[in-house]
């Protein structure tokens, strides 16, 4: 799995999940339950992971959707 996005913005996470679902790309949102550790303040970022074989396609989808700035640099 490749880290595609790391953010604590719930809107970005939902948008990326929707884009990946619409494209048929499986993704995992890691660290969702870490909010228990930060008191549910949303301080700790969540990571969106995709399969390495689909990472380039996923990056292109995010760039085309106008959120290419959210893509995690390798």
């Amino acid at each position: 799995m490749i880290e595609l996005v790391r953010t604590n913005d719930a809107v970005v996470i939902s948008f990326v999940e929707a884009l990946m679902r619409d494209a048929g790309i499986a993704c995992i949102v890691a660290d969702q339950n870490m909010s228990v550790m930060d008191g549910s303040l949303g301080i700790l970022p969540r990571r969106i992971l995709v399969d390495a074989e689909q990472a380039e396609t996923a990056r292109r989808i995010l760039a085309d959707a106008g959120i290419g700035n959210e893509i995690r640099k390798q």
Side-chain angles (χ1 to χ4, degrees):
M1 299 298 279
I2 300 292
E3 183 178 338
L4 184 63
V5 173
R6 182 182 295 194
T7 184
N8 56 358
D9 187 332
V11 174
V12 171
I13 292 170
S14 294
F15 187 45
V16 171
E17 284 182 298
L19 289 170
M20 295 302 107
R21 184 175 43 251
D22 290 348
I25 298 174
C27 69
I28 297 172
V29 180
D31 307 324
Q32 290 185 94
N33 297 321
M34 291 302 292
S35 64
V36 172
M37 301 299 290
D38 71 10
S40 298
L41 297 174
I43 296 170
L44 299 175
R46 280 53 166 182
R47 297 175 295 139
I48 299 177
L49 309 172
V50 296
D51 188 78
E53 294 175 0
Q54 296 179 311
E56 264 319 301
T57 303
R59 287 184 185 103
R60 190 170 35 257
I61 290 168
L62 294 185
D64 290 347
I67 59 169
N69 61 314
E70 296 289 341
I71 298 171
R72 187 84 171 156
K73 307 293 186 264
Q74 293 148 341

